Amino acid sequence: MTLRKPSAALPLAALVAAAALTACAPQDAKSDGAAASGASGTAGAAAAAASCAPGGLATRTSGKLTIGTDKPAYDPWFSEDKPENGKGFESAVAYAVAEKLGYPKDKVSWVVSPFGKATAPGAKDFDFDINQVSISDERKQAVDFSSGYYDVRQAVIALKGSKAADAKSIADLKGAKLGAQVGTTSLDTVTNTIKPSTQPAVFDSNDLAKAALKNGQVEALVVDLPTAFYITGAEVPEAQVVGQFETASQGEQFGLVLDKGSKLTTCVSQAVDALRADGTLAKLEKQWLSDAVSAPVLK
């Protein structure tokens, strides 16, 4: 706090008297000061709340909320490649956040934002993006993140009958030809946790990675656990979930992506925190990601 100099017009005797009174102030006078400080803090909190007034945020389009995600929008995070239908975990989460912010479904619009573009430096064409983006210090240099809305575990899927499919530990995977999508924590898991003896194959999208797995170009892929169950159950039935990695200690979470320094970051985080606190996130996870509950842990 910066103290203002006393007015030169104030007599010295008055200053001395004022100082004496302050030094000898009774305890209840001190409490009044604390109350004043508390009132100031309350006013500050009220101002912050006012800045998150439902439906009145400083969004790209006044009165509307624009949400970005990649295309295609995969199950189980979305459904039918239609983020706007409210089906799938991330679509449901996006609309729940929008509702908390005061934007009903008819006030929400979607734009296509490729994964790499959403997390790169530069102005965004969305208010927030939802696309299985893990929060990391490196990415925070380029964009803002909300609070985490999903606790992530990475998993391995492999073609049935392959050596990788029989892996019981991380060491069993070191000799396998592995693959993952570029710029993802799945690829980080390959390079930093598995540390394979041969360079992993890197793909621009999960579609290309899945095609490579089907064609036998790679033995196994690393993806997040819900995606692993969906791929093996609906898209590549000739593959199986081998196991998952322990990531609880790392605390990996998906977060909503916002422009660096966005005025919406605090409000969006408050909305996510409220959805976690009232059980909405857990309910949506159970509804849309219920298959991703158990897989052997690879150590």
Side-chain angles (χ1 to χ4, degrees):
M1 181 175 67
T2 302
L3 298 176
R4 287 183 291 179
K5 293 181 180 179
S7 170
L10 192 62
L12 179 59
L15 289 175
V16 173
L21 287 172
T22 301
C24 300
Q27 189 62 39
D28 60 347
K30 185 176 181 180
S31 297
D32 289 344
S37 176
S40 176
T42 302
S51 68
C52 296
L57 305 184
T59 54
R60 291 182 56 82
T61 302
S62 180
K64 295 185 177 181
L65 187 70
T66 303
I67 304 175
T69 197
D70 208 342
K71 188 174 181 62
Y74 299 104
D75 289 87
W77 309 106
F78 299 93
S79 180
E80 303 169 1
D81 193 21
K82 295 178 179 178
E84 68 277 7
N85 65 13
K87 299 178 181 179
F89 179 70
E90 289 195 326
S91 180
V93 167
Y95 280 117
V97 171
E99 191 71 33
K100 283 288 185 185
L101 294 173
Y103 297 90
K105 195 170 183 179
D106 63 349
K107 298 297 182 182
V108 174
S109 61
W110 291 81
V111 294
V112 174
S113 183
F115 186 96
K117 182 179 179 182
T119 57
K124 310 304 180 188
D125 58 358
F126 50 75
D127 292 310
F128 69 74
D129 178 270
I130 184 166
N131 189 24
Q132 306 113 64
V133 183
S134 294
I135 301 168
S136 71
D137 289 338
E138 181 180 359
R139 287 176 178 154
K140 284 181 180 179
Q141 301 301 310
V143 296
D144 279 1
F145 281 99
S146 71
S147 302
Y149 62 86
Y150 178 70
D151 300 325
V152 186
R153 283 183 179 270
Q154 297 295 324
V156 178
I157 60 175
L159 291 173
K160 296 174 181 177
S162 69
K163 186 177 179 180
D166 295 327
K168 298 294 188 288
S169 68
I170 293 173
D172 293 339
L173 292 167
K174 289 187 180 295
K177 180 61 176 177
L178 304 171
Q181 184 178 349
V182 65
T184 62
T185 50
S186 299
L187 182 57
D188 291 341
T189 299
V190 174
T191 56
N192 300 328
T193 301
I194 301 175
K195 300 177 182 177
S197 54
T198 58
Q199 282 289 107
V202 181
F203 304 96
D204 288 335
S205 70
N206 267 342
D207 273 346
L208 294 174
K210 288 180 290 187
L213 182 66
K214 283 183 177 182
N215 296 334
Q217 294 173 266
V218 294
E219 289 181 70
L221 296 176
V222 175
V223 294
D224 59 78
L225 188 58
T227 298
F229 276 97
Y230 181 76
I231 290 175
T232 55
E235 298 183 309
V236 190
E238 55 269 39
Q240 67 185 60
V241 177
V242 177
Q244 61 180 305
F245 297 92
E246 289 184 305
T247 59
S249 61
Q250 298 174 14
E252 182 184 353
Q253 293 183 313
F254 289 158
L256 305 176
V257 180
L258 299 95
D259 203 359
K260 186 68 176 174
S262 172
K263 294 179 180 179
L264 305 183
T265 302
T266 298
C267 300
V268 172
S269 286
Q270 288 176 358
V272 173
D273 291 342
L275 293 172
R276 185 177 289 277
D278 68 15
T280 298
L281 292 181
K283 180 181 178 181
L284 294 177
E285 184 175 334
K286 183 177 181 180
Q287 178 181 356
W288 296 107
L289 305 179
S290 58
D291 286 341
V293 291
S294 63
V297 176
L298 300 170
K299 299 181 179 179

